[in-house]
Amino acid sequence: MQEVPVTYELLHIDKTTGARRGIVHTPHGDIQTPVFMPVGTQATVKSMTVEELKENGAQIILSNTYHLYLRPGSKLVRKAGGLHNFMKWDKPILTDSGGFQVFSLGDLREINEEGVEFRSHLDGSKHLFTPEKVMEIEEDLGADIIMAFDECCPYPSTYEYTKNSMERTTRWAKRCKEAHTTKNQALFGIIQGGFYEDLREKSAKDLIELDLPGYAIGGISVGEPKEEFIKMLRFTAPLMPENKPRYLMGVGTPDYLIEAALAGIDMCDCVLPTRIARNGTAMTSKGKVVIRNATYAEDFGPLDSECDCYTCKNYTRAYIRHLVKCNEILGVRLLSIHNIKFLTNLMERVRIEIENDNLLNFGKEFYKKYGYTKEEE
């Protein structure tokens, strides 16, 4: 039997919720799960060095196939020895398929059975992404986990449109598997089907038949109401194989991360922590802090008294507010460091609570402290 480069080891199941505590084994090290994965779109998690990422608990990072294809080009990254060597990150890397970016281009792209023709957001040049082309790019980039090319439906979409899109995603996944040649990369499939349970079930069944080493849920957390997100998450997660990694794409708020863990998800990613840092916002144990606000002008306490990150141990809210108001780069860096650490600390705590069969109670306590309303819960 062919050796699989990425495998899942189950350590414990929360007796109350079914949440999973495990390890994903990869060629570049083990990942303790559930895990939050910071996004390094262009081979960098914005404003942070790889040393800072490691110091703040990042176990695996994502990079973006679409953006790296456009610049600096996947062939250049290959010449540099792949993403790990190019960006000097020696831990696991996951590359997405570019499907979501192509989806978000709207009028700049045209989808057909062969693939997606799109115009670059940089210079308007024409490009064609096919499943085979995406596999070529991702193999050049050299990540441990690579995603199959998929079509992500907007919310809301009609049943007919979603069905056709889901079926095309399955056909593309088969083409990706046939085109995938590297033995040290694990190809994950992406379950689609929008917000129609029968389509989700069909997508999961057909993709599982391909016997890929891992599976993701795509096409939720795309602007739908939270109750719709939770309903489809809880329906889809149990359809995924128990002996392989389960990945929920594009989720990074504390409540969604906890909901994902409760549903039995192992891996989540999002640009959120660094994006809101650039807007002057911090996640804290008592909710979001918009540091630009005048109320923090003379606040000489840390961003979060319960946080042990470099930012909270060394700088005050007043100083960080000053930096942000002056558009100083250091302000963004300090907020990014804190937000990444906040989420990695949260997931470390989630793993402990699963081991103690207490994730449901922890979630309720966290929501109350963080300031989520009953409707948001």
Side-chain angles (χ1 to χ4, degrees):
M1 192 171 75
Q2 185 178 356
E3 185 177 341
V4 179
V6 172
T7 59
Y8 178 75
E9 178 185 356
L10 178 64
L11 299 180
H12 185 78
I13 295 179
D14 185 316
K15 293 180 178 61
T16 304
T17 66
R20 291 150 50 105
R21 169 76 176 93
I23 303 174
V24 176
H25 302 285
T26 83
H28 284 87
D30 291 346
I31 306 162
Q32 303 295 323
T33 64
V35 64
F36 172 75
M37 307 181 287
V39 176
T41 301
Q42 310 203 59
T44 174
V45 176
K46 292 191 187 305
S47 84
M48 295 184 68
T49 67
V50 294
E51 291 79 13
E52 288 166 339
L53 287 168
K54 290 177 183 178
E55 288 167 6
N56 288 286
Q59 301 183 65
I60 172 176
I61 60 174
L62 272 70
S63 281
N64 183 266
T65 295
Y66 167 84
H67 287 284
L68 292 174
Y69 161 76
L70 291 177
R71 59 181 179 191
S74 62
K75 297 304 179 188
L76 186 146
V77 175
R78 187 184 185 99
K79 285 181 182 178
L83 273 176
H84 289 94
N85 198 51
F86 188 49
M87 64 183 296
K88 299 303 176 187
W89 172 261
D90 58 6
K91 290 176 175 287
I93 298 176
L94 184 154
T95 45
D96 63 13
S97 69
F100 183 80
Q101 281 67 37
V102 168
F103 147 79
S104 66
L105 289 172
D107 295 338
L108 294 175
R109 53 100 169 119
E110 183 177 333
I111 303 171
N112 56 48
E113 187 61 29
E114 178 62 15
V116 180
E117 186 175 70
F118 63 92
R119 291 187 178 274
S120 165
H121 71 288
L122 298 174
D123 59 12
S125 57
K126 277 190 175 182
H127 303 269
L128 176 65
F129 266 17
T130 65
E132 293 78 13
K133 180 65 174 178
V134 168
M135 288 298 94
E136 177 187 330
I137 297 167
E138 293 198 82
E139 290 181 6
D140 284 344
L141 297 176
D144 302 89
I145 299 170
I146 62 177
M147 304 305 298
F149 193 42
D150 67 319
E151 182 185 347
C152 182
C153 285
Y155 177 85
S157 291
T158 65
Y159 183 88
E160 183 179 9
Y161 180 95
T162 305
K163 181 175 184 290
N164 291 334
S165 170
M166 177 274 290
E167 291 173 345
R168 182 182 291 124
T169 290
T170 300
R171 292 192 295 272
W172 283 357
K174 292 176 181 177
R175 287 167 58 186
C176 284
K177 183 179 180 180
E178 290 171 0
H180 178 223
T181 61
T182 51
K183 294 180 180 179
N184 62 341
Q185 292 181 298
L187 173 65
F188 282 21
I190 303 175
I191 299 168
Q192 291 289 354
F195 291 84
Y196 302 98
E197 291 184 354
D198 62 325
L199 298 183
R200 285 281 170 183
E201 192 167 12
K202 172 69 170 163
S203 177
K205 178 178 178 294
D206 291 346
L207 288 172
I208 289 168
E209 287 181 0
L210 295 179
D211 194 25
L212 300 172
Y215 292 91
I217 301 174
I220 65 174
S221 190
V222 289
E224 73 281 358
K226 184 174 180 180
E227 58 269 21
E228 288 292 313
F229 163 82
I230 293 175
K231 179 183 176 183
M232 194 51 63
L233 168 64
R234 291 177 178 173
F235 176 81
T236 308
L239 303 175
M240 305 167 85
E242 294 181 358
N243 62 337
K244 297 180 180 182
R246 297 172 172 178
Y247 168 27
L248 175 61
M249 308 180 82
V251 166
T253 59
D255 56 331
Y256 274 34
L257 289 173
I258 292 173
E259 289 295 340
L262 287 166
I265 295 296
D266 307 303
M267 308 160 68
C268 297
D269 79 284
C270 196
V271 298
L272 185 75
T274 51
R275 175 173 287 172
I276 66 172
R278 296 194 297 280
N279 295 326
T281 301
M283 300 176 185
T284 78
S285 57
K286 296 181 180 178
K288 286 194 295 187
V289 167
V290 182
I291 205 68
R292 290 179 176 274
N293 291 351
T295 186
Y296 304 114
E298 296 184 11
D299 187 336
F300 301 112
L303 282 173
D304 187 348
S305 60
E306 297 182 21
C307 181
D308 59 351
C309 78
Y310 171 81
T311 301
C312 290
K313 287 192 289 189
N314 290 283
Y315 298 100
T316 66
R317 291 180 173 187
Y319 178 64
I320 296 169
R321 178 179 185 272
H322 158 70
L323 295 175
V324 170
K325 295 287 285 185
C326 295
N327 293 318
E328 285 288 346
I329 295 171
L330 181 59
V332 174
R333 280 181 36 74
L334 293 176
L335 286 169
S336 296
I337 287 169
H338 167 77
N339 285 343
I340 292 292
K341 181 65 168 172
F342 179 82
L343 291 183
T344 60
N345 279 350
L346 172 63
M347 298 313 290
E348 183 177 3
R349 181 68 184 275
V350 164
R351 293 192 291 272
I352 292 170
E353 298 298 344
I354 292 174
E355 292 171 358
N356 293 332
D357 302 311
N358 191 51
L359 183 59
L360 187 62
N361 289 333
F362 168 76
K364 291 177 180 177
E365 292 166 8
F366 180 90
Y367 279 24
K368 185 176 180 181
K369 189 175 180 183
Y370 200 82
Y372 290 120
T373 63
K374 188 169 184 180
E375 289 72 24
E376 288 174 316
E377 293 179 25

